[in-house]
Amino acid sequence: MTQYLLTRPHTLISLTAFADRYQSAKSSISEDLAIIKEVFEEEGLGELHTLAGAAGGVKYFPKMGSAEALSIMNNICRQLEQPERVLAGGYLYMTDMLGQPGLLSDVGRMFATAFAHLDIDVIMTVETKGIPLAHATAACMNLPVVIVRRDNKVTEGSAVSINYVSGSNKRIQTMSLARRALKEHARVLIIDDFMKAGGTIQGMMDLLFEFNAKVAGVGVFVESGELESEERLFEDYVSLAKLTAVDMKSKQTTVIPGNYFAEHVN
Amino acid sequence: MTQYLLTRPHTLISLTAFADRYQSAKSSISEDLAIIKEVFEEEGLGELHTLAGAAGGVKYFPKMGSAEALSIMNNICRQLEQPERVLAGGYLYMTDMLGQPGLLSDVGRMFATAFAHLDIDVIMTVETKGIPLAHATAACMNLPVVIVRRDNKVTEGSAVSINYVSGSNKRIQTMSLARRALKEHARVLIIDDFMKAGGTIQGMMDLLFEFNAKVAGVGVFVESGELESEERLFEDYVSLAKLTAVDMKSKQTTVIPGNYFAEHVN
């Protein structure tokens, strides 16, 4: 039962399904669920919600406790501060970290914790480095992912394209999304790897407007805090880490836990 | 213990670690592991391997039984055959399917089954649609992912670029990989979403040669079987599905399970 729940997050499973599967009485299933619930909470794996009634059942919400999250994120910040990560333009090389399954599953669980209370239909990101983060979050929240392309590929069918101005370097760029990728009125969680002024995310928001879809939330892995706050294009987002200083000469950077840790104290 | 193992595939966990964690004697840990092993095998979740000795412990290999895999893949083939998926050039729209966490975790488990016996350091794919498949496989195999770019982004540092000829439409294209993304002599599993003649994968192989790395295996989600076999650039790959016929007029396609189901009978 533990594995069945763990591999089906954000999915309502009826007691009848469990009773049939394990050929047990519903009463003993309930007792077992109570034990599992306790263990999940003790181990900081998340919450098990029980819904009573005929349409009822049990749903597993993967979450991460704030102490565990902070300890993991402090560790990630130290990795991000390695001097060899500093690239031209004040960017940080973090592609290698975004390829680590352990880090991705931790980050996915943090975003799933931050956005668990929201009503979301789909997770959106833009290629390329946001994709693993979006999918790691999607796996924890049982949500589909749509990927905004920076070009318009033949294999996607008809698409909507928009131009947007990257906020930090003021260049005009194009992004597009297949017409069939998103339903009207979808509630969308935007996930991306890095945000400076927020031009790319603002572009995704403009694209959502074209689809009559709604932004339910924005989560970024690292925000650059080197801007005056009036330069930021929008205010409502969750960041897991914040790059507060880059010294290009000495290649010294400072990375601290993001606003996630200010707002989401359990 | 079940959840601990499930969330740490392909990772050696010592009995001492379990004994400390659950404050139990190693003998009772061993007994519990024997039960978990049985349940995992009954439920088709994979194998639990025990290594004896001081450096020993237990390792979980996520796998999928061939009957379950075939039933899931037949279902996927029916979805791929939907007429509205046919796009110009004999391509299939499948981006929506590659955004579904359930499908991805099934496919990841199939690739993890096919390549479990190989000695692999890293999984490689090319942006964009191969990325979720590579990460789903990586999550099951506890391996890092490197993503080959179709351009050369500023945020990656120095990179190696090669030109390759896409086998089906004979166009010359460029792909590149950050110099620091891959160690010398790494053993690499290539994962991609779609293969016609194999030009893109051949390009990745050529790129690996530049890094002195080695191809350990190739896995594709869908192969196009509409070619004469001499047109295929290489022979040694695992495909999960095979597109055998596309009628552009009637938009009828036929998709059958791939060579995975011929070769990997458990």
Side-chain angles (χ1 to χ4, degrees), chain A residues 42-99:
Chain A
E42 251 171 47
E43 303 247 334
L45 286 170
E47 293 163 16
L48 215 58
H49 290 196
T50 317
L51 279 87
V58 63
K59 214 185 221 185
Y60 165 51
F61 294 86
K63 291 202 174 179
M64 189 182 276
S66 50
E68 187 189 1
L70 189 58
S71 141
I72 290 172
M73 194 45 65
N74 275 323
N75 191 356
I76 290 174
C77 289
R78 291 304 80 74
Q79 282 185 64
L80 287 169
E81 284 175 346
Q82 290 159 356
E84 61 271 24
R85 295 194 176 277
V86 178
L87 296 168
Y91 287 94
L92 284 188
Y93 180 76
M94 51 189 196
T95 308
D96 58 331
M97 293 171 68
L98 298 180

Coordinates of all heavy atoms in Angstrom, one line a residue, chain A residues 42-99:
Chain A
E42 N 5.8 11.4 10.1 CA 7.0 11.3 10.9 C 8.3 11.5 10.0 O 9.2 12.2 10.3 CB 7.1 10.0 11.5 CG 6.9 10.0 13.0 CD 6.8 8.5 13.5 OE1 7.6 7.7 13.1 OE2 5.9 8.3 14.3
E43 N 8.2 10.8 8.8 CA 9.4 10.9 8.0 C 9.5 12.1 7.1 O 10.4 12.2 6.3 CB 9.4 9.6 7.1 CG 9.4 8.3 7.9 CD 10.7 7.5 7.7 OE1 11.4 7.7 6.7 OE2 11.0 6.7 8.7
G44 N 8.5 13.0 7.2 CA 8.4 14.2 6.4 C 8.2 13.9 4.9 O 8.7 14.6 4.1
L45 N 7.5 12.8 4.6 CA 7.2 12.5 3.2 C 6.0 13.2 2.6 O 5.9 13.2 1.4 CB 7.0 11.0 3.1 CG 8.2 10.1 3.2 CD1 7.8 8.6 3.3 CD2 9.1 10.3 2.1
G46 N 5.2 13.7 3.5 CA 4.0 14.4 3.0 C 2.8 14.1 3.8 O 2.8 13.4 4.8
E47 N 1.6 14.4 3.2 CA 0.4 14.2 3.9 C -0.5 13.2 3.2 O -0.6 13.2 2.0 CB -0.4 15.6 4.0 CG 0.4 16.6 4.9 CD 0.0 18.0 4.7 OE1 -1.1 18.2 4.1 OE2 0.7 18.9 5.1
L48 N -1.3 12.5 4.0 CA -2.3 11.6 3.5 C -3.6 12.1 3.9 O -3.9 12.3 5.1 CB -2.1 10.2 4.2 CG -2.3 9.0 3.3 CD1 -1.4 9.0 2.1 CD2 -2.0 7.7 4.1
H49 N -4.4 12.5 2.9 CA -5.8 13.1 3.2 C -6.8 12.1 2.9 O -6.8 11.4 1.9 CB -6.0 14.3 2.3 CG -5.2 15.5 2.7 ND1 -5.4 16.8 2.3 CD2 -4.0 15.6 3.5 CE1 -4.5 17.6 2.8 NE2 -3.6 16.9 3.5
T50 N -7.7 11.9 3.9 CA -8.8 11.0 3.7 C -10.1 11.7 3.5 O -10.4 12.7 4.2 CB -9.0 10.1 5.0 OG1 -7.7 9.7 5.4 CG2 -9.8 8.9 4.7
L51 N -10.8 11.3 2.4 CA -12.2 11.9 2.1 C -13.2 10.9 2.4 O -13.2 9.8 1.9 CB -12.2 12.3 0.6 CG -11.6 13.6 0.2 CD1 -10.1 13.4 -0.1 CD2 -12.3 14.2 -0.9
A52 N -14.2 11.2 3.2 CA -15.2 10.3 3.6 C -16.3 10.2 2.5 O -16.3 11.1 1.6 CB -15.8 10.7 5.0
G53 N -17.2 9.3 2.6 CA -18.3 9.2 1.7 C -18.1 8.3 0.6 O -17.1 7.7 0.4
A54 N -19.2 8.2 -0.3 CA -19.2 7.2 -1.4 C -18.1 7.5 -2.4 O -17.4 6.6 -2.9 CB -20.5 7.2 -2.1
A55 N -17.9 8.8 -2.6 CA -16.9 9.3 -3.6 C -15.5 9.4 -2.9 O -14.6 10.0 -3.5 CB -17.3 10.5 -4.3
G56 N -15.4 8.9 -1.7 CA -14.2 9.2 -0.9 C -13.1 8.3 -1.2 O -13.1 7.5 -2.1
G57 N -12.1 8.4 -0.4 CA -10.9 7.6 -0.6 C -9.7 8.3 0.1 O -9.9 9.1 1.0
V58 N -8.5 8.1 -0.4 CA -7.3 8.6 0.2 C -6.4 9.2 -0.9 O -6.4 8.7 -2.0 CB -6.6 7.5 1.0 CG1 -6.1 6.4 0.2 CG2 -5.5 8.1 1.9
K59 N -5.8 10.3 -0.6 CA -4.9 11.0 -1.5 C -3.6 11.4 -0.8 O -3.6 11.8 0.3 CB -5.7 12.3 -2.0 CG -5.4 12.7 -3.4 CD -6.1 14.1 -3.6 CE -6.8 14.1 -5.0 NZ -7.4 15.4 -5.3
Y60 N -2.5 11.1 -1.5 CA -1.2 11.4 -1.0 C -0.6 12.7 -1.6 O -0.5 12.8 -2.8 CB -0.3 10.2 -1.3 CG 1.2 10.5 -1.1 CD1 1.6 11.0 0.1 CD2 2.1 10.2 -2.1 CE1 3.0 11.3 0.3 CE2 3.5 10.5 -1.9 CZ 3.9 11.0 -0.7 OH 5.2 11.3 -0.5
F61 N -0.3 13.6 -0.7 CA 0.3 14.9 -1.1 C 1.8 14.9 -0.7 O 2.1 15.0 0.4 CB -0.4 16.1 -0.5 CG -1.8 16.3 -0.9 CD1 -2.8 15.6 -0.3 CD2 -2.1 17.2 -1.9 CE1 -4.1 15.8 -0.7 CE2 -3.4 17.4 -2.3 CZ -4.4 16.7 -1.7
P62 N 2.7 14.6 -1.7 CA 4.1 14.7 -1.3 C 4.5 16.1 -0.9 O 4.2 17.0 -1.5 CB 4.9 14.3 -2.7 CG 3.8 13.8 -3.5 CD 2.5 14.4 -3.1
K63 N 5.2 16.1 0.3 CA 5.6 17.4 0.8 C 7.0 17.2 1.4 O 7.4 16.1 1.7 CB 4.6 17.9 1.9 CG 3.3 18.3 1.3 CD 2.6 19.3 2.2 CE 1.3 19.8 1.4 NZ 0.5 20.7 2.3
M64 N 7.6 18.4 1.7 CA 8.9 18.3 2.4 C 8.8 19.3 3.6 O 8.4 20.4 3.4 CB 10.0 18.7 1.4 CG 11.4 18.5 2.0 SD 12.7 19.0 0.9 CE 12.9 17.6 -0.1
G65 N 9.3 18.8 4.7 CA 9.3 19.6 5.9 C 10.3 20.8 5.7 O 11.2 20.7 5.0
S66 N 10.0 21.9 6.4 CA 10.8 23.1 6.2 C 12.3 22.9 6.7 O 13.2 23.5 6.0 CB 10.2 24.3 6.8 OG 9.9 24.1 8.2
A67 N 12.5 22.2 7.7 CA 13.8 22.0 8.2 C 14.6 21.2 7.2 O 15.8 21.5 6.8 CB 13.8 21.2 9.5
E68 N 14.0 20.1 6.7 CA 14.7 19.2 5.7 C 15.0 20.1 4.4 O 16.1 20.0 3.8 CB 13.9 18.0 5.3 CG 14.6 17.1 4.4 CD 13.7 15.9 3.9 OE1 12.5 15.9 4.2 OE2 14.3 15.1 3.1
A69 N 14.0 20.9 4.0 CA 14.1 21.7 2.8 C 15.3 22.7 2.9 O 16.1 22.8 2.0 CB 12.8 22.4 2.5
L70 N 15.3 23.3 4.1 CA 16.4 24.3 4.3 C 17.8 23.7 4.3 O 18.7 24.3 3.8 CB 16.1 25.1 5.6 CG 17.0 26.3 5.9 CD1 16.9 27.3 4.7 CD2 16.7 27.0 7.2
S71 N 17.9 22.5 4.9 CA 19.2 21.9 5.0 C 19.6 21.5 3.6 O 20.8 21.7 3.2 CB 19.1 20.7 5.9 OG 19.8 19.6 5.5
I72 N 18.7 21.0 2.8 CA 19.0 20.6 1.4 C 19.4 21.8 0.6 O 20.3 21.8 -0.2 CB 17.8 19.8 0.7 CG1 17.7 18.4 1.4 CG2 18.0 19.7 -0.8 CD1 16.4 17.7 0.9
M73 N 18.6 22.9 0.8 CA 18.8 24.1 0.0 C 20.1 24.8 0.3 O 20.8 25.3 -0.5 CB 17.6 25.1 0.1 CG 17.6 26.2 -0.9 SD 17.9 25.7 -2.7 CE 16.5 24.7 -3.0
N74 N 20.5 24.8 1.6 CA 21.8 25.3 2.0 C 22.9 24.6 1.3 O 23.9 25.2 0.8 CB 22.0 25.2 3.5 CG 21.3 26.4 4.2 OD1 21.4 27.6 3.7 ND2 20.8 26.2 5.4
N75 N 22.8 23.3 1.2 CA 23.7 22.5 0.5 C 23.8 22.8 -1.0 O 24.9 23.0 -1.6 CB 23.3 21.0 0.7 CG 24.4 20.0 0.3 OD1 25.4 20.4 -0.3 ND2 24.1 18.8 0.4
I76 N 22.6 23.0 -1.6 CA 22.6 23.4 -3.0 C 23.2 24.8 -3.2 O 24.0 25.0 -4.2 CB 21.1 23.4 -3.5 CG1 20.6 22.0 -3.6 CG2 21.0 24.1 -4.9 CD1 19.1 21.8 -3.9
C77 N 23.0 25.7 -2.3 CA 23.5 27.1 -2.4 C 25.1 27.0 -2.4 O 25.7 27.7 -3.1 CB 23.0 28.0 -1.2 SG 21.3 28.4 -1.4
R78 N 25.6 26.2 -1.5 CA 27.1 26.0 -1.5 C 27.6 25.5 -2.8 O 28.6 26.0 -3.3 CB 27.5 25.1 -0.4 CG 27.3 25.5 1.1 CD 27.9 26.8 1.5 NE 27.2 28.0 1.1 CZ 26.0 28.4 1.6 NH1 25.5 27.7 2.6 NH2 25.4 29.5 1.2
Q79 N 26.9 24.6 -3.4 CA 27.3 24.1 -4.7 C 27.3 25.2 -5.8 O 28.1 25.3 -6.6 CB 26.4 23.0 -5.2 CG 26.7 21.6 -4.6 CD 25.8 20.5 -5.2 OE1 25.9 20.2 -6.4 NE2 24.9 20.0 -4.4
L80 N 26.2 26.0 -5.7 CA 26.0 27.1 -6.7 C 27.1 28.2 -6.6 O 27.4 28.9 -7.5 CB 24.6 27.7 -6.6 CG 23.4 26.9 -7.0 CD1 22.1 27.5 -6.6 CD2 23.4 26.8 -8.6
E81 N 27.7 28.3 -5.4 CA 28.7 29.3 -5.1 C 30.1 28.9 -5.6 O 31.0 29.7 -5.6 CB 28.8 29.6 -3.6 CG 27.6 30.5 -3.2 CD 27.6 30.7 -1.7 OE1 28.4 30.0 -1.0 OE2 26.9 31.6 -1.2
Q82 N 30.2 27.7 -6.1 CA 31.6 27.3 -6.6 C 32.0 28.3 -7.7 O 31.3 28.5 -8.7 CB 31.5 25.9 -7.2 CG 31.3 24.8 -6.1 CD 30.7 23.5 -6.6 OE1 30.4 23.4 -7.8 NE2 30.6 22.5 -5.8
P83 N 33.3 28.8 -7.6 CA 33.7 29.9 -8.5 C 33.7 29.5 -9.9 O 33.5 30.3 -10.8 CB 35.1 30.2 -8.0 CG 35.4 29.2 -6.9 CD 34.2 28.5 -6.5
E84 N 33.9 28.2 -10.2 CA 34.0 27.8 -11.7 C 32.6 27.8 -12.3 O 32.5 27.7 -13.5 CB 34.6 26.4 -11.8 CG 33.9 25.3 -11.1 CD 34.3 25.0 -9.7 OE1 34.8 26.0 -9.0 OE2 34.1 23.9 -9.2
R85 N 31.5 28.1 -11.6 CA 30.2 28.2 -12.2 C 29.9 29.6 -12.8 O 28.9 29.8 -13.5 CB 29.1 28.0 -11.1 CG 29.2 26.6 -10.6 CD 28.0 26.2 -9.8 NE 28.1 24.8 -9.4 CZ 27.7 23.8 -10.2 NH1 27.3 24.0 -11.4 NH2 27.9 22.5 -9.8
V86 N 30.7 30.6 -12.4 CA 30.5 32.0 -12.9 C 30.8 32.1 -14.4 O 31.8 31.7 -14.9 CB 31.3 33.0 -12.1 CG1 31.0 34.4 -12.7 CG2 31.0 32.9 -10.7
L87 N 29.7 32.5 -15.2 CA 29.9 32.6 -16.6 C 29.7 34.1 -17.0 O 29.2 34.9 -16.2 CB 28.8 31.8 -17.3 CG 28.8 30.3 -17.1 CD1 27.5 29.7 -17.6 CD2 30.0 29.7 -17.8
A88 N 30.1 34.4 -18.2 CA 29.9 35.8 -18.7 C 28.5 36.2 -18.6 O 27.6 35.5 -18.7 CB 30.3 35.8 -20.2
G89 N 28.3 37.5 -18.2 CA 27.0 38.1 -18.1 C 26.3 37.9 -16.8 O 25.1 38.1 -16.6
G90 N 27.1 37.4 -15.8 CA 26.5 37.1 -14.5 C 25.6 35.9 -14.4 O 24.8 35.8 -13.5
Y91 N 25.8 35.0 -15.4 CA 25.0 33.7 -15.3 C 25.8 32.7 -14.5 O 27.0 32.8 -14.3 CB 24.8 33.2 -16.7 CG 23.7 34.0 -17.5 CD1 24.1 35.0 -18.3 CD2 22.4 33.7 -17.3 CE1 23.2 35.7 -19.0 CE2 21.4 34.4 -18.0 CZ 21.8 35.4 -18.9 OH 20.9 36.1 -19.6
L92 N 25.1 31.7 -14.0 CA 25.7 30.6 -13.3 C 25.5 29.3 -14.1 O 24.4 29.0 -14.6 CB 25.0 30.4 -11.9 CG 25.4 31.4 -10.8 CD1 24.8 30.9 -9.5 CD2 26.9 31.5 -10.7
Y93 N 26.6 28.6 -14.3 CA 26.5 27.3 -14.9 C 25.8 26.3 -13.9 O 26.4 26.1 -12.8 CB 27.9 26.7 -15.2 CG 27.9 25.4 -15.9 CD1 27.5 25.2 -17.2 CD2 28.2 24.2 -15.1 CE1 27.5 24.0 -17.8 CE2 28.2 23.0 -15.7 CZ 27.8 22.8 -17.0 OH 27.8 21.6 -17.6
M94 N 24.6 25.8 -14.2 CA 24.0 24.9 -13.3 C 23.4 23.7 -14.0 O 22.6 22.9 -13.4 CB 23.1 25.6 -12.3 CG 22.0 26.4 -13.0 SD 21.1 27.4 -11.7 CE 19.7 27.9 -12.6
T95 N 23.7 23.6 -15.3 CA 23.2 22.5 -16.1 C 23.5 21.1 -15.5 O 22.6 20.2 -15.5 CB 23.7 22.6 -17.5 OG1 23.5 23.9 -18.0 CG2 23.0 21.6 -18.4
D96 N 24.7 21.0 -15.0 CA 25.1 19.7 -14.3 C 24.2 19.4 -13.2 O 23.7 18.2 -13.0 CB 26.5 19.7 -13.9 CG 26.9 20.8 -12.9 OD1 26.2 21.9 -13.0 OD2 27.8 20.7 -12.1
M97 N 23.9 20.4 -12.3 CA 23.0 20.1 -11.2 C 21.6 19.8 -11.6 O 21.0 18.9 -10.9 CB 23.0 21.4 -10.3 CG 24.4 21.6 -9.6 SD 24.5 23.2 -8.8 CE 23.4 22.9 -7.4
L98 N 21.1 20.4 -12.7 CA 19.8 20.1 -13.1 C 19.7 18.8 -13.9 O 18.7 18.4 -14.4 CB 19.3 21.2 -14.0 CG 19.2 22.6 -13.3 CD1 18.7 23.7 -14.3 CD2 18.3 22.5 -12.1
G99 N 20.8 18.1 -13.9 CA 20.8 16.7 -14.5 C 20.9 15.6 -13.4 O 20.8 14.5 -13.7

